[in-house]
Amino acid sequence: MQQNSIQAALFSLIVPGAGQWRLGKKERAVAILTSILALGGLIFWQMLPALFAPLLAIWAWQVFDAFQSAKGRQLGMGTPLLLGALIVYGLSASAVEFRPKRVVTGWPNIQPYLRALTQPELFDYATNDVEGLAPIQVPCISPLPEPGRSPTDTPKVTIDQQCASVGESITIEVTGLLPNFAGELWWINPIGDAQRVLRDGQPFTFVSDDSGNFTATFAVPLAVPLSQQPGDGETQTHAVRVEQHEPVGGLRPTDTLQLVWEKIGETIALAFIATVMGTIFAVPVSFLAARNLMGGNRVTLAIYYVVRTILNVIRSIETLMWAIIFAVWVGLGPFGGTLALFLHTVAALGKLYSEAIESVDQGPIDALRASGANAPQVVVYAVLPQILPTFTSFTLYRWDINVRMSTVIGLVSDAGLGFLVIQWIRLNRFRSMATALIAIILVVSLLDILSSYLRKRIIEGSPKVRKPTTGRRLAQMAGVAVFILAFGWSWQVARIEPVELIRGAPGGLRLMRSFAIPNLVTRPTEERNVTLTLPVPCGSGETGTEALEGMRVALSAECGDVGDPLTITGSNLPPNTEVSVRWVFADGAFLRVRSGCCMVDADGNLTLETNIHPLLEVDPDGGQPLPGGVQISFKEVVGGPQISDALKTVVSLSLVTLLMALMATTLGSLFAIPLSFFAARNIMGESAIGKTIYNVFRAAFNLFRSIEPMILVLICAAWVGAGPFAGVLALTLNNIPNLGKLFSETIEEVDNRPIDALTATGANRMQTLVYAIVPQLVPKFLAFIIYQWDINIRMSTVIGFVGGGGIGQQFRLWIGLNQYSSAGTATWAIVIMVWTMDYLSSKGREKLV
């Protein structure tokens, strides 16, 4: 026995799990080996040698486990699980750039947002507007040109210098203002964008003196992105604007509030039209995705698998990703956002409807089939009566989701309230942003309450049907008319233009084809060039050609003048190869002769007709001192297949995305668990203080869960800086109210009998909590946490669109660079992650609940 124990331990010392395998515990052995290899690989990925210590501890544990197993005593899994969690959370902290210190140091950055929430732009007065402006050049150059703007005469703004650099102090003097009245200072950049002048991090305000004058000194702000700064010897015309707004009329809605009201209508319209159209398409699709209806023969079963797979792929890709794709297809605007909502709605409802169909009572279906009824008759008379209430409930649930998503669809498309939020944050218009945020909270909360009420009525059943009356018939007709009007209004607001979908179909289908074929493997290439000199005009140089392994380029003329017709011919080129035909210049620069050209034929020949470009003309005093020429360029494969850079990037960012979701779920749970007890009525009791605390926490959960993580990311990026940590912080802030609400409802549903029994024995409230309530809550709490992690993984794939890091940030970058195949690689990675976590989380919830 002792010898067997030592042998098993030695085997596990050399290869993790080998000792357990030798003892016949193969599943345990595979789990040990897989876990150690995975954790070791992740440590190498993040280059964190300190985490090898707990990994070695796990290795030592499994050696001792093999030793004990040979003696018939098996160790518990608590120690390796704890050490593994230490490694995983250490990796997570590194991967998501977890820096709690930023929450403190970045607090001043978030204060303007918080103050703005208490000062939304709702109502103002009609005003007498007084504005003065003076131009200033940034930076100084010599000689300094005339500014591109003219100063105002009244009020008159005088700046103590004509030019300045960013960060340099300038002093302004203003005359002709309203006396003893407050005003604001704005900085206007060269394209007309305005931003508040800041002093000590706060918007600059002033009060004019008795004569309507004032003087101020402040620093020149960075008003132009670094990528668009003027080059050496260049300057740009900015301006300082002084504003006073004297109330002269009654209270009225602000322009901001009116715009928000308009966008509220657009948000609801997008959600309504997408839900209605999605439902219309999802119903027939759901019957094709129901196994109990399609399992009759091999053909229908194959259709079932195809349809169900397509639905799962589409719903695995977040709506915002579809919005980006449709923005490329049909252009920016509400139509692209509506298409994204519609497509995701069809996939989501199609799956839910099909599962409802699969849950129907099979008896009526079998009875009708036995009587000889065909498939449509089975659906109409045996299936529809059972599923209509469930379908209606699911449709209302999807409407709720679409309203939430339509509030953020504007982050990637010119639609909805989200578009206003992102624009106002970028312009530092925090009070305007607060108005939009409050509108989002109210709209989502009210519609959530309405849809919850309707779903409850449907689930509980409607009251007994009363005898139809004329009044009821008129009410029904009025309801139909309202629905038709709402549909027509939503169609117009969403700017539904099917012709644009058709017009953009070729490009859209190419885009989808690129997405469908991921960029997994690449082969190294080298650029090869074949060049022929072309003197312009004749006599400005000698002709010459560069032959490359027999490949040649020929021209219809040895020289010529600008605009002369020219035929370019290539021969002995690689057959069926895409090449670039270029004008090349003496300094090595080049310009394509024609965009998207050209493809060599099967014989290796190429012919292209054009005219000589003006830039080829020799100019001894200027940019072309020597003759240029014509060049045919192509890439030649020089090595074997290799893993593509896109795939390497996607794998790395997929791991970051998973760890972001894990960290956010953990942090959200740690805060939500204690807070949820304050939102549970049975814990808070019936006292006045208890009821007050309960109502405050429950209201806070319901309100703050209305703000989508995509909007929270924008604020968190300003708080702690753009990157994965901002994404984790945003998801955490979203998880706290979501999990808090679920946890509190679970607490309210606990069995009171153990509580009453302990109370009768004289146990205090804390003892009752620990011994009677917590044991009932742990399994359900864990199930909800797993469910929230599943949601967080989906959200982690898109929060990078607005500064939250992860795979979504790279996806949007690839889309912006038209690298659709690389973006498709990211998309397939997201589908795999979502499918995997869907499966694992569903299995986990089944065991816990």
Side-chain angles (χ1 to χ4, degrees), residues 545-556:
T545 185
E546 286 184 18
L548 180 65
E549 300 174 0
M551 294 175 274
R552 301 183 63 84
V553 57
L555 305 175
S556 59

Side-chain angles (χ1 to χ4, degrees), residues 395-525:
T395 303
L396 289 171
Y397 172 71
R398 185 65 205 185
W399 152 257
D400 187 22
I401 293 176
N402 282 344
V403 170
R404 293 173 182 271
M405 286 308 306
S406 61
T407 63
V408 298
I409 205 77
L411 298 176
V412 294
S413 180
D414 178 13
L417 284 165
F419 175 74
L420 295 180
V421 172
I422 193 170
Q423 294 302 318
W424 283 333
I425 287 178
R426 287 173 175 171
L427 295 173
N428 292 333
R429 291 180 57 181
F430 300 127
R431 292 184 61 200
S432 300
M433 171 217 70
T435 307
L437 280 181
I438 292 172
I440 289 173
I441 292 172
L442 293 177
V443 169
V444 172
S445 298
L446 291 174
L447 293 177
D448 189 18
I449 292 171
L450 176 61
S451 61
S452 297
Y453 169 75
L454 293 175
R455 286 198 304 273
K456 184 178 180 181
R457 287 288 303 274
I458 291 169
I459 292 172
E460 292 179 350
S462 301
K464 184 178 179 180
V465 178
R466 299 177 183 176
K467 183 179 179 180
T469 63
T470 303
R472 288 186 177 279
R473 291 193 184 96
L474 290 175
Q476 292 173 353
M477 293 173 62
V480 172
V482 169
F483 177 85
I484 294 172
L485 291 173
F487 185 85
W489 168 73
S490 300
W491 184 282
Q492 183 177 8
V493 171
R495 303 179 202 168
I496 305 296
E497 298 178 7
V499 66
E500 290 297 326
L501 189 61
I502 297 172
R503 185 182 293 123
L509 292 175
R510 283 195 301 271
L511 172 66
M512 298 300 291
R513 188 163 54 248
S514 298
F515 267 73
I517 305 174
N519 182 11
L520 303 178
V521 179
T522 186
R523 300 183 68 179
T525 59

Side-chain angles (χ1 to χ4, degrees), residues 556-628:
S556 59
E558 294 185 352
C559 60
D561 294 316
V562 172
D564 287 350
L566 184 71
T567 301
I568 303 170
T569 304
S571 57
N572 296 324
L573 297 170
N576 302 315
T577 301
E578 187 175 354
V579 300
S580 173
V581 184
R582 310 165 171 173
W583 306 115
V584 291
F585 309 108
D587 60 358
F590 64 85
L591 179 69
R592 290 178 183 270
V593 173
R594 185 179 300 167
S595 178
C597 176
C598 302
M599 183 64 71
V600 180
D601 65 19
D603 298 323
N605 299 322
L606 170 71
T607 301
L608 176 65
E609 295 183 355
T610 185
N611 298 92
I612 296 176
H613 198 279
L615 292 178
L616 282 180
E617 186 173 16
V618 172
D619 179 10
D621 300 325
Q624 184 69 0
L626 296 173

